[in-house]
Amino acid sequence: MKIFTTVLFLALGLQTIHAQNKHKFYNVDGNEITQEQFESQYDRLKNFILDYERSNSSEHRLINYQSEEQLNSSKTSKIYNYLESITGKELDRDKNLLVSYLSATNSKIDGDSKWDVLNQRYNEIIEERGDVIRLWVHSPDLKNLEPFQIKDITWSADKDRMLEKQLFPENVPYGGFLILQPDGKAYVRLHEHSNQDITENVERLLGKK
């Protein structure tokens, strides 16, 4: 009888734990929605899904690949100040910022990265514009930066997670990039991207040179 009671207790306990492990769904604004709404709003061309495992639930969030917003002068200044503090560079506040952000998901890459964003000729073209400051930032959780250590590229850690918290959601695959203009106009692209994605948006937002 004791054995039966113990087995029954364990079975009931597992059922309780399973019931508690609920699935929660959130839209691109961070509001909780139903699974049906989640599935109807998901568009693989516009957004992707981030999954979070909590102690008693699984959360699924929709994240847009790209967004544009107008930051106020205070927030814009804080971003410039923070980037100065982590890079050790004095930034010209009249110039635009182009920040590549490398997330911790890139820790699994072995050998030299083939990512074309690291292409030296491309970086020279951006720098030749004269109106863009090119910066490289990585998540403090990134375990292996070696594949991305390319000549003339200096990576800085997002040590206080300011960029992660405000612009690049936690563990977003691959990371992304930010184009920030002095007047606070900001464009953020998340997930996989290439030279072409960056070039096209630089030219669209800042004009061709």
Side-chain angles (χ1 to χ4, degrees), residues 48 50 63-66 99-107 109 115 117 137-139 142 148 155 163-164 167-178 188-194 198:
F48 59 96
L50 276 188
I63 307 292
N64 283 336
Y65 284 111
Q66 53 188 355
V99 183
S100 280
Y101 192 91
L102 199 59
S103 74
T105 60
N106 293 279
S107 297
I109 294 178
W115 195 21
V117 171
V137 181
H138 67 86
S139 164
L142 183 67
F148 307 95
W155 290 96
L163 297 184
E164 177 187 278
L167 301 168
F168 301 97
E170 180 183 1
N171 292 327
V172 62
Y174 302 97
F177 67 90
L178 161 71
V188 176
R189 169 63 184 258
L190 302 174
H191 215 293
E192 286 187 273
H193 58 279
S194 65
I198 295 177

Side-chain angles (χ1 to χ4, degrees), residues 29-162:
D29 296 318
N31 299 318
E32 188 171 358
I33 56 178
T34 66
Q35 182 174 350
E36 290 73 20
Q37 292 173 320
F38 185 87
E39 292 173 352
S40 67
Q41 293 178 27
Y42 171 61
D43 182 340
R44 65 183 183 84
L45 297 179
K46 295 181 180 180
N47 47 52
F48 59 96
I49 301 171
L50 276 188
D51 297 315
Y52 296 87
E53 290 298 328
R54 307 304 186 190
S55 59
N56 61 351
S57 68
S58 294
E59 297 181 4
H60 313 281
R61 299 175 180 269
L62 286 178
I63 307 292
N64 283 336
Y65 284 111
Q66 53 188 355
S67 63
E68 294 184 43
E69 62 179 312
Q70 177 66 54
L71 307 182
N72 60 41
S73 58
S74 176
K75 189 171 183 178
T76 302
S77 181
K78 285 181 180 179
I79 292 176
Y80 273 84
N81 289 340
Y82 179 68
L83 288 170
E84 282 187 333
S85 72
I86 65 174
T87 63
K89 297 180 179 180
E90 184 176 350
L91 304 179
D92 186 340
R93 304 305 172 96
D94 293 324
K95 290 189 176 182
N96 308 284
L97 299 182
L98 172 57
V99 183
S100 280
Y101 192 91
L102 199 59
S103 74
T105 60
N106 293 279
S107 297
K108 299 178 181 179
I109 294 178
D110 294 321
D112 293 337
S113 172
K114 305 301 181 183
W115 195 21
D116 72 345
V117 171
L118 302 174
N119 184 279
Q120 292 288 58
R121 178 55 188 152
Y122 158 75
N123 293 319
E124 290 172 2
I125 292 174
I126 291 292
E127 291 173 359
E128 286 171 1
R129 289 180 57 96
D131 61 347
V132 178
I133 300 173
R134 190 82 168 90
L135 300 173
W136 306 81
V137 181
H138 67 86
S139 164
D141 298 324
L142 183 67
K143 303 299 182 183
N144 183 22
L145 188 59
E146 188 62 29
F148 307 95
Q149 294 282 25
I150 309 299
K151 182 181 178 182
D152 296 330
I153 291 180
T154 301
W155 290 96
S156 302
D158 183 17
K159 59 181 182 179
D160 295 333
R161 301 182 185 277
M162 178 184 177

